[in-house]
Amino acid sequence: AQSVAQPEDQVNVAEGNPLTVKCTYSVSGNPYLFWYVQYPNRGLQFLLKYITGDNLVKGSYGFEAEFNKSQTSFHLKKPSALVSDSALYFCAVRRNFGNEKLTFGTGTRLTIIP
Amino acid sequence: SQTIHQWPATLVQPVGSPLSLECTVEGTSNPNLYWYRQAAGRGLQLLFYSVGIGQISSEVPQNLSASRPQDRQFILSSKKLLLSDSGFYLCAWSEVRSSYEQYFGPGTRLTVT
């Protein structure tokens, strides 16, 4: 079985400060990892993914995430937060095998304070 | 480029009425298709997924059903809605062999009264 934990329901960050949204995962074998963002009453938007290679992956809107195999983590980061980054963020994982389904975390609500 | 459509955007239905939500994908062939439900603006629950026409796998036994009558069309149905069916329904697609990420539609807000 595979699982994702997003330990923080809510994260508040002042505008201009760096932000981190945490994600840890559990999966047998090597993982494929993803981050999505959801704005109110909208579908999820794909931000970035880790498949293989460089542990630091860059995605849309200036976001990046670092894959840490020893800590089974894939935290989402941004050097300088914008008010428009306020949204619900989901981490997801699947095995790197076959046609596996994604398992999503419960989401972290990020609020950027002006 | 690929696009995914869902309709209707919002729906208010009485308990016991039928349901039909539609999802279509453009710009790709033989995608994997998924139906999720999101309750209270939080976690996603996978309801159904399909790897081809007529091939449906159910993740959660309930009064919902899904069908895939065409390659890029995915339909979520119910014969009799329950109050607990209220939620935000999301359709998604992914390529069978490519980047593996799923792309989501805009969603349907269903309120059962």
Side-chain angles (χ1 to χ4, degrees):
Chain A
Q2 56 195 35
S3 65
V4 175
Q6 292 184 244
E8 300 157 317
D9 282 347
Q10 174 81 42
V11 172
N12 297 325
V13 177
E15 185 179 18
N17 282 4
L19 69 87
T20 299
V21 182
K22 295 179 180 177
C23 171
T24 58
Y25 66 90
S26 174
V27 68
S28 57
N30 292 320
Y32 291 153
L33 293 155
F34 307 86
W35 275 102
Y36 288 83
V37 60
Q38 185 181 32
Y39 297 99
N41 295 311
R42 299 290 184 92
L44 276 67
Q45 293 180 30
F46 169 71
L47 276 180
L48 51 80
K49 65 185 177 187
Y50 171 81
I51 302 297
T52 187
D54 194 348
N55 289 343
L56 183 65
V57 294
K58 296 185 183 296
S60 306
Y61 311 120
F63 283 95
E64 58 188 28
E66 187 167 10
F67 170 61
N68 187 317
K69 188 171 184 178
S70 63
Q71 296 185 8
T72 62
S73 66
F74 190 57
H75 300 331
L76 181 70
K77 300 181 180 183
K78 188 173 182 180
S80 179
L82 301 173
V83 173
S84 57
D85 293 330
S86 298
L88 187 58
Y89 289 81
F90 290 95
C91 182
V93 68
R94 54 158 283 181
R95 286 196 306 165
N96 68 338
F97 176 79
N99 206 9
E100 297 286 330
K101 301 180 292 292
L102 284 182
T103 297
F104 286 85
T106 52
T108 297
R109 190 165 301 281
L110 176 65
T111 300
I112 308 302
I113 303 167
Chain B
S1 63
Q2 301 88 1
T3 56
I4 178 169
H5 305 278
Q6 284 187 246
W7 63 90
T10 60
L11 191 60
V12 180
Q13 293 283 96
V15 168
S17 64
L19 173 73
S20 181
L21 303 181
E22 190 164 344
C23 170
T24 59
V25 181
E26 297 176 355
T28 187
S29 297
N30 193 31
N32 288 344
L33 295 172
Y34 309 83
W35 277 112
Y36 290 88
R37 178 168 60 202
Q38 185 178 29
R42 275 297 186 178
L44 295 170
Q45 179 185 36
L46 179 62
L47 301 175
F48 302 94
Y49 70 96
S50 171
V51 299
I53 296 174
Q55 300 178 62
I56 310 294
S57 296
S58 173
E59 290 293 299
V60 183
Q62 53 197 340
N63 68 319
L64 298 173
S65 62
S67 62
R68 185 170 177 173
Q70 300 179 42
D71 181 43
R72 291 167 291 173
Q73 184 185 29
F74 206 22
I75 297 172
L76 183 70
S77 303
S78 174
K79 292 182 179 178
K80 288 186 177 182
L81 283 168
L82 306 173
L83 284 174
S84 57
D85 291 325
S86 293
F88 193 48
Y89 288 81
L90 292 160
C91 181
W93 73 273
S94 67
E95 293 188 4
V96 175
R97 283 180 295 274
S98 182
S99 309
Y100 312 104
E101 64 267 28
Q102 294 179 15
Y103 296 95
F104 285 79
T108 295
R109 174 76 59 192
L110 172 66
T111 303
V112 182
T113 60

